[in-house]
Amino acid sequence: MIIEPVIKGVVAKSAHPVGCEQAVLQQIQYVKQSEPITNGPKRVLIIGGSSGFGLATRIALTFGRSKADTISVSYEHGPSSKGVGSAGFYNNIAFKKFAEEEGRIAVNIQGDAFSDSIKEQVIEAVETYFEGEVDLIVYSVASGVRPKPNSDEMWRSAIKPIGQSVSGASILLETDTWQQTTLPPATDQEVDETIKVMGGEDWEAWVDALINSESIGEGCKTLAFSYIGPELTHPIYLDGTLGRAKIDLHQTSHSLNLKLANFNGGAYATVCKALVTKASVFIPGLTPYILALYKVMKERGTHEGCIEQMQRLFRDKVYSTGKIPVDCERLLRMDDRELDVETQREVNQLVSQLNADNFKQLGDYQGFKQEFLRLNGFSFDDVDYGKEIDLESWINSDA
Ligand code: NAD
Ligand code: NA
């Protein structure tokens, strides 16, 4: 078959296996030519390792000097009557192939990270492949839902402001159009459910499960990712439902830090830069900011993608020789370049000019759209998209 990009609103409905492999390969190449991570961990568990920051973590630690073995949990799907399958599914295949070529262990566990059964499956894999212990646990799940235990119901996260409505614009990637939206304030229930889905509870459940099964190695660290952003984005992010969930995650980092102190390890909420991922394009009101931010940071030469952020995180912060640097709230900050004063001054100026007619010219819409397509394996120069691809044999030859 020939696979074409299919986008509905801001959601990709197709993915190209060859392009996903290319995306993984480019990140591997970046890591190999970049200044190495020394003293890195050897046995790494990534929860949410099939795309975005989780995949970049996996690549940085496997293909750099760290040469880590990895177990990754993700929620992805292969081809079915509904379509070709998700990009993360093909990223998993590509990652495993390249990692095994270099002699690394790369275990992909697909299923719901919130469930007990997947936690048990991972603990078994840690026994089998890691001699029973992990050195680093990275929690990088981004989800809209979480099944309630022992029930058919779900908690659903909402992306809404709190206490007031907020207007902003979304950009429909499907039609390249700017859409002005007003988001009503969240109800208390929506706030609570967002904290259930995107807060720290499941991160803590993972670390507890690994402590209880005696799977924590000496010095084991755990990280989860957060976002804070500049004032401009606070109404929709930090002061809204997602921000509440992130504050919960920050608090969880403190309790996990105490628990891991028993193993001479630690826990860190890591604040990253705003980036185009499957998860972030979903946030209404954030896109104009990202278009302006990309434009300004690329011009200033300070732009980073997921892989650049993760390589710098592990090399300069987590596994450098000194103490792990944190701010006054004990957060590990990777958003320093985004929040640079001069950068924000320019971004503010640019955002205030953006509108439905000029966002493609004034903002970095081209870069934004291309990055989105590439997340799904499209828009790579050296992939022949006209070539027939047999999914069945692709999956079998690589798996
Ligand atoms: P992403 O969509 O690229 O990755 C999410 C991962 O979670 C995927 O591997 C997916 O398979 C997995 N996942 C989703 N539901 C799951 C489930 N039920 N069980 C198992 N795995 C599941 O998203 P991302 O942007 O890399 O987000 C990762 C974290 O980084 C999130 O906490 C997000 O808030 C945070 N973050 C993102 C940004 C940004 O701008 N993208 C900035 C700062 C922080
Ligand atoms: Na991720």
Side-chain angles (χ1 to χ4, degrees):
M1 67 190 297
I2 304 274
I3 304 171
E4 311 250 11
V6 181
I7 306 174
K8 286 275 172 280
V10 294
V11 181
K13 294 286 180 188
S14 71
H16 203 287
V18 184
C20 288
E21 184 177 278
Q22 188 64 25
V24 170
L25 192 61
Q26 285 189 0
Q27 294 187 66
I28 293 172
Q29 282 161 351
Y30 171 79
V31 167
K32 288 193 169 175
Q33 52 86 48
S34 137
E35 205 185 305
I37 299 164
T38 48
N39 312 310
K42 293 294 178 206
R43 302 167 296 184
V44 180
L45 167 61
I46 301 141
I47 304 143
S50 60
S51 64
F53 288 117
L55 175 62
T57 293
R58 200 177 188 193
I59 293 172
L61 295 173
T62 296
F63 294 96
R65 195 180 288 169
S66 190
K67 296 189 192 301
D69 293 329
T70 56
I71 297 170
S72 159
V73 179
S74 61
Y75 197 77
E76 304 292 349
H77 54 275
S80 70
S81 56
K82 288 189 194 142
V84 295
S86 57
F89 176 83
Y90 294 105
N91 292 340
N92 283 340
I93 291 176
F95 177 88
K96 188 179 172 73
K97 175 180 122 177
F98 291 127
E100 287 179 349
E101 275 171 14
E102 303 213 354
R104 301 281 76 76
I105 293 171
V107 179
N108 293 325
I109 294 180
Q110 305 201 50
D112 181 15
F114 294 110
S115 70
D116 289 340
S117 66
I118 289 292
K119 292 182 177 81
E120 284 158 19
Q121 218 174 303
V122 166
I123 287 165
E124 266 173 45
V126 169
E127 271 310 312
T128 310
Y129 299 101
F130 288 179
E131 292 166 355
E133 286 182 353
V134 290
D135 305 315
L136 174 68
I137 305 155
V138 173
Y139 189 86
S140 186
V141 172
S143 178
V145 296
R146 169 178 175 184
K148 295 184 187 175
N150 312 314
S151 154
D152 295 336
E153 286 171 33
M154 299 269 194
W155 287 299
R156 289 177 193 282
S157 65
I159 306 175
K160 287 189 177 169
I162 294 175
Q164 47 163 27
S165 357
V166 166
S167 28
S170 290
I171 294 169
L172 293 185
L173 286 148
E174 178 183 356
T175 48
D176 304 315
T177 50
W178 173 282
Q179 215 180 35
Q180 206 62 35
T181 49
T182 298
L183 293 169
T187 62
D188 289 346
Q189 187 181 347
E190 287 173 321
V191 175
D192 293 345
E193 293 201 17
T194 307
I195 293 172
K196 277 285 178 195
V197 179
M198 287 298 287
E201 192 175 68
D202 188 53
W203 181 24
E204 183 148 25
W206 271 98
V207 175
D208 284 342
L210 290 157
I211 291 173
N212 291 336
S213 60
E214 302 184 344
S215 311
I216 302 288
E218 174 67 15
C220 177
K221 296 177 180 59
T222 188
L223 306 181
F225 299 117
S226 183
Y227 184 66
I228 290 180
E231 243 168 77
L232 182 67
T233 65
H234 286 184
I236 182 59
Y237 201 100
L238 190 62
D239 297 338
T241 49
L242 285 175
R244 287 294 165 83
K246 291 305 185 192
I247 288 163
D248 182 70
L249 188 86
H250 300 170
Q251 284 161 352
T252 302
S253 78
H254 305 318
S255 69
L256 292 180
N257 196 49
L258 292 176
K259 292 180 186 179
L260 289 185
N262 296 326
F263 305 87
N264 295 315
Y268 302 88
T270 303
V271 185
C272 293
K273 163 183 189 291
L275 275 169
V276 180
T277 64
K278 183 175 156 185
S280 69
V281 296
F282 229 84
I283 306 173
L286 199 68
T287 313
Y289 171 73
I290 292 187
L291 294 190
L293 182 72
Y294 269 43
K295 177 88 173 192
V296 171
M297 291 187 80
K298 284 179 183 176
E299 271 169 14
R300 297 174 67 88
T302 56
H303 178 75
E304 295 174 300
C306 285
I307 193 65
E308 289 86 357
Q309 281 259 295
M310 294 302 104
Q311 180 76 5
R312 183 160 72 89
L313 168 67
F314 293 111
R315 183 190 59 218
D316 296 353
K317 313 269 183 182
V318 182
Y319 295 106
S320 81
T321 43
K323 268 185 78 175
I324 297 181
V326 289
D327 70 7
C328 58
E329 292 178 60
R330 225 185 55 80
L331 299 171
L332 212 171
R333 304 300 294 255
M334 292 302 295
D335 56 349
D336 48 332
R337 296 176 184 173
E338 171 176 358
L339 296 184
D340 167 74
V341 175
E342 190 53 31
T343 300
Q344 283 301 320
R345 201 187 54 74
E346 288 179 30
V347 169
N348 265 296
Q349 220 166 36
L350 187 51
V351 169
S352 67
Q353 293 169 22
L354 289 184
N355 62 40
D357 301 319
N358 66 19
F359 72 93
K360 290 181 200 161
Q361 291 78 47
L362 294 189
D364 183 26
Y365 185 67
Q366 255 198 323
F368 177 82
K369 178 89 186 242
Q370 183 181 64
E371 203 163 309
F372 180 79
L373 288 169
R374 288 187 170 182
L375 290 176
N376 299 293
F378 298 103
S379 191
F380 285 101
D381 294 338
D382 24 15
V383 174
D384 178 3
Y385 292 102
K387 199 170 155 202
E388 289 277 340
I389 164 151
D390 176 358
L391 285 182
E392 198 75 11
S393 66
W394 176 271
I395 291 165
N396 293 331
S397 70
D398 276 19

